[in-house]
């Protein structure tokens, strides 16, 4: 019980690192689409406030630097 906050922080950081790894290998757009859909399913239950997972909003914010901006070369992504 005493180590729960440490494990929670570690697991949250590992999940964000996994997202970063996927983004660095070209999956930022796909992961963003998935997370936006998952956001609809995310529930804010009172007993789940101290989750071991980062929130969808936190994960989406962390992916922003890996997404092309409108000022880039104008490449459009096709949703398959």
């Amino acid at each position: 019980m005493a180590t729960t906050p440490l494990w929670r922080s570690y697991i949250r950081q590992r999940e964000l690192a996994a997202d970063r790894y996927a983004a660095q290998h070209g999956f930022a757009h796909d992961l963003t689409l998935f997370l936006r859909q998952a956001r609809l399913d995310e529930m804010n239950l009172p007993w789940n406030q101290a989750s071991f997972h980062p929130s969808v909003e936190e994960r989406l914010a962390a992916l922003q630097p890996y997404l092309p901006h409108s000022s880039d070369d104008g490449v459009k992504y096709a949703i398959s």
Side-chain angles (χ1 to χ4, degrees):
M1 189 102 175
T3 61
T4 299
L6 294 173
W7 279 112
R8 181 177 294 120
S9 176
Y10 175 77
I11 292 169
R12 290 170 59 88
Q13 291 305 313
R14 296 309 321 153
E15 192 160 348
L16 291 170
D19 289 350
R20 201 168 37 253
Y21 180 85
Q24 290 169 346
H25 288 83
F27 294 99
H29 181 71
D30 295 328
L31 185 54
T32 299
L33 289 176
F34 171 78
L35 289 172
R36 286 183 179 154
Q37 291 171 350
R39 180 177 17 184
L40 300 175
D41 297 333
E42 188 176 68
M43 298 173 64
N44 292 322
L45 302 172
W47 57 84
N48 199 25
Q49 292 302 316
S51 174
F52 279 83
H53 301 281
S55 71
V56 172
E57 298 302 325
E58 184 179 354
R59 292 175 74 186
L60 286 170
L63 289 171
Q64 289 306 308
Y66 299 97
L67 295 172
H69 301 299
S70 59
S71 62
D72 288 348
D73 63 358
V75 174
K76 299 288 183 190
Y77 287 98
I79 301 173
S80 50

